[in-house]
Amino acid sequence: MITGAYAREMARYNHWQNSQLAEFLQALSPEELMQERGAFFGSIMGTANHLLWGDWIWMSRFDKGPGPESDIHRPGGGIHESVHLCPDLDSWLVLRVAMDDRISGWSDTLGDEVLSGPFTWYSAAKEADVTLPYAQCVMHFFNHQTHHRGQLHKMLTEAGSEAPVSDLCFMPKEG
């Protein structure tokens, strides 16, 4: 279905996309970031928070985190609370960089064999254990990011901002 190399490429893409996104978000005022825009997660900041929260939840499942004593083990709250993960852009930027580094580190160790097996986690949203193919979970993880960055792209352009280039063919070469 997919390989570890696919996950590494998507982790690199994720990092590139979030680096661009950060530049555009920093050009907006706090009021523009928090303005209700009729999106599922309300504002640009709310959607950016949900995107980061979703990455954090999935990484806590995939890599089991650095340990419960760490502040980057697993975020609190559920989907509806995710919009409040970071109170401002500065705190979001710090966590975003840390999460992108964590995603890259995880993908660097991901082998092909594990992707062919099952993956089980407890879903608070479903209040039950869920088992799906590991590869399907990884694909969902990266698709979730793309989905919400698409929403952010729309809100940025509606706010009169430029938005990140998202075409994979424009991603800078490694090295």
Side-chain angles (χ1 to χ4, degrees):
M1 188 178 247
I2 63 169
T3 63
Y6 166 84
R8 286 183 284 285
E9 186 76 356
M10 290 298 98
R12 197 165 76 79
Y13 177 78
N14 170 69
H15 183 269
W16 173 59
Q17 287 295 289
N18 288 331
S19 295
Q20 290 185 89
L21 179 61
E23 291 177 29
F24 291 105
L25 296 181
Q26 290 174 54
L28 298 176
S29 70
E31 294 77 26
E32 289 172 309
L33 290 169
M34 300 304 288
Q35 181 181 334
E36 172 59 46
R37 298 190 183 272
F40 190 82
F41 293 104
S43 65
I44 291 171
M45 194 70 221
T47 303
N49 271 331
H50 174 75
L51 170 59
L52 177 58
W53 179 89
D55 285 355
W56 198 346
I57 286 290
W58 276 104
M59 286 311 302
S60 72
R61 295 169 181 160
F62 290 148
D63 71 2
K64 307 297 186 245
E69 68 284 351
S70 171
D71 61 352
I72 63 167
H73 176 66
R74 183 181 171 96
I79 293 168
H80 297 293
E81 293 83 20
S82 68
V83 298
H84 305 294
L85 181 65
C86 296
D88 55 46
L89 185 59
D90 288 340
S91 58
W92 184 88
L93 290 167
V94 170
L95 279 177
R96 183 72 265 172
V97 168
M99 186 54 57
D100 290 346
D101 288 346
R102 184 172 170 183
I103 293 167
S104 293
W106 160 78
S107 72
D108 285 346
T109 66
L110 190 62
D112 295 348
E113 190 172 312
V114 69
L115 290 167
S116 65
F119 187 75
T120 301
W121 76 96
Y122 178 79
S123 168
K126 292 186 101 174
E127 298 181 348
D129 283 339
V130 176
T131 300
L132 291 171
Y134 197 102
Q136 185 179 13
C137 294
V138 172
M139 289 186 319
H140 168 75
F141 171 65
F142 289 118
N143 284 336
H144 182 264
Q145 295 171 341
T146 300
H147 167 71
H148 289 301
R149 278 194 299 261
Q151 291 174 324
L152 288 165
H153 188 283
K154 179 183 184 298
M155 288 187 280
L156 283 168
T157 57
E158 286 178 344
S161 172
E162 300 266 336
V165 172
S166 61
D167 297 318
L168 192 60
C169 65
F170 293 110
M171 183 169 63
K173 302 283 185 215
E174 283 188 281

